[in-house]
Structures are given as structure tokens and as C-alpha cells.
Amino acid sequence: MPAMNRRSFLSATTAVAATCGLPATSFAAASTRAAGDRDRVTPSAEWARNFTELPMDKHGALRERNAAERAADPRPNILFIYTDQQTVNALSCAGNRWLRTANMDKLARNGVRFERSYCPAPICGPSRGALAYGRHPHETGVRYNGETPHEDLPNLGTALREAGYDTTWTGKWHLPDSYPETDEIPGFHYLQRPEGILGGFLGDAVDMHFAQRAGTYLRWHAGLSSKPWFLGVSLHNPHDICHYFIKDNWIGMPEPDPDHIDPTLLPPLPPNHYAVEDEAEYLQKRRRQKSYAAETGNHGTDLSEAHWRAYLQSYYSMTET
């Protein structure tokens, strides 16, 4: 099988979603790990129970019976593709001519694009908690990275299960673990990343694995349940742009060489790039800060305009489909 990276996965999945209306057998990523390689609880999802309990030669007949039953069920299947740190204007359909997101644009044309939807928190965990639980960070209990949502709080997965759905998640979770080492998370059966991935904190290292897991589920495993399905596919990128400025001798980006880069080919800086004269003291302090959370190094305190524009170009390239 040829290698699949993040960009090819986004291109494939969004293209199929845009053209096929999310049928139960579209696209292609893998199942839970084989039974017996560690202690496991009974899977919460019907498809996963059938996958582990039924002989493989029974799967085909079961999928056929379930397909007939699902054809009479008006409830739609739901595929939720989730990117990390993609800004509202990082879409060509938003009028941005510095990148091409043809397949996401097609989804926007055939669906709804929310132009005034606001992120409830500026950091990962609280924002994810708000989206997964439908509440503000102070209500979920996740106000900073590393915190756990309130145990008795219902979320998207539990609500859909009550409505009769099989609910599955793969990819980044970060409530509190980014990649839980368990088959069950609140509200969802979880498809884990493989063990021993080199650079497992980078989207370019993990997204292709979650793509393959999601694809196998959609092609083969969703049909093992007679219920409508929800699958969350949470991709890490374009989050890797955070590492652009980390000066640890292997991942930080060098100053662009003006002799080899045509500045007319770099996107312009946004109008709010530079600090205003009356900037709040707290923002001034954060601007001077040399590190954030577990990440270290220079975060852009003394960079040239060319460097910032090259940064923006790199960010857009991580977002394209």
C-alpha cells in the first residue's frame, strides 16, 4: 500500500465526503488492536463487539443484513473531520488566494460554512472540551491543558448514543491525554495510534495512521453495526506550525535567504500583525515570553518581516488539501 500523508488523507476524505454525501461504506482506517494483546474492557460500540466476537467469515453476511436495515433508517451517518489550529481564513473559499483547499471548498459549497463562529478558548484542551461537550470551559472543568472534564458531564458521544448511534473516535483527544492508551474514552470507542511511532507528537507522524484507521472503519467496520454511526477523525495538523520557531537544532526554521526567496511569492502579513501603541500590559508580557507550556525556544520575538511571511506560507502549506 502506498504511503498516505496528512495532505493526501484530507484530500481523499473531503473529496469523498463532498461528492458522496457520507455513505456508510465511503473512504478508508483500521480497527482496534487485536484481542489478547492487553487487558480490555467490553467495547462500547456494537461494531467493535461484533468485530472481536464474530468469526471473520461471518462479517460479510452481517454487513449485508445491516445494510438492508440501515437503508430503511432515516438517521444520517456522521463523519466529523477535525483539524487543529486551522484559522477561519485558512480556506480558499474564504477569499484567501495564498492557499488552495479545493475539497474543503466543495464541502462549503454543498453545505454550510459558519463565518461568525468563535473559538471559546485560545488553547487546545479547553477549546476541545467546549466542542466535545457543548459547554464553555468553566462549565466543562477544562480551563487549561491537562485538565479532565467533569466525570458526570454528558458530551456529544453520550448524546448520540442515547439517540441510537454507534460512536467512535480516532486521533487527537487531549482531554486530558492527546492520544489515550485505551479503547474507551467518554462517549466514544477509541481507535488508538500504533505503538512506537517516531516523532509521535507531530501531525506529520501520526495523522496518516489515524487516516488509515478511520478509512478501514468506514469501509469495513461501520457495517458490522445495524446502528447509524458517528466517527470523529481528529487530525493534529496544521498544529505542527508551532514547532516552526523551536530552536532545538532539528526542527526550527532558518531565516529566509533573500537571495533565494522572491518576496512577491510570500503571503502578506495580516493587518493586526504588529502591536498597537496601547497594547495591554499582559499581551506585552506574553509577546516577550520565550517559551510556552512544554515547548521551548524562541517564539518569534525578534524576527524579520520576511521570516514571518515565510512562516505564514509554511502554515498555509500544512492546511492545503
Side-chain angles (χ1 to χ4, degrees), residues 243-285:
H243 297 275
Y244 186 101
F245 293 125
I246 296 178
K247 304 300 183 183
D248 55 8
N249 298 320
W250 70 280
I251 200 169
M253 298 294 289
E255 173 74 15
D257 184 346
D259 294 331
H260 295 87
I261 294 181
D262 182 353
T264 64
L265 301 178
L266 297 177
L269 297 177
N272 65 345
H273 173 76
Y274 295 102
V276 295
E277 292 183 1
D278 59 345
E279 184 179 47
E281 182 179 351
Y282 177 77
L283 293 180
Q284 295 179 35
K285 180 180 178 181

Side-chain angles (χ1 to χ4, degrees), residues 54-104:
L54 289 179
M56 291 293 291
D57 60 1
K58 303 292 185 184
H59 289 188
L62 178 61
R63 280 194 291 266
E64 289 184 9
R65 292 196 301 271
N66 288 337
E69 187 172 336
R70 284 289 296 121
D73 188 340
R75 293 173 295 179
N77 298 319
I78 303 170
L79 173 64
F80 182 50
I81 302 175
Y82 191 162
T83 60
D84 195 315
Q85 293 193 187
Q86 182 176 356
T87 61
V88 67
N89 66 337
L91 291 164
S92 45
C93 64
N96 191 332
R97 70 182 185 88
W98 295 97
L99 77 170
R100 298 181 182 88
T101 53
N103 293 309
M104 285 190 277

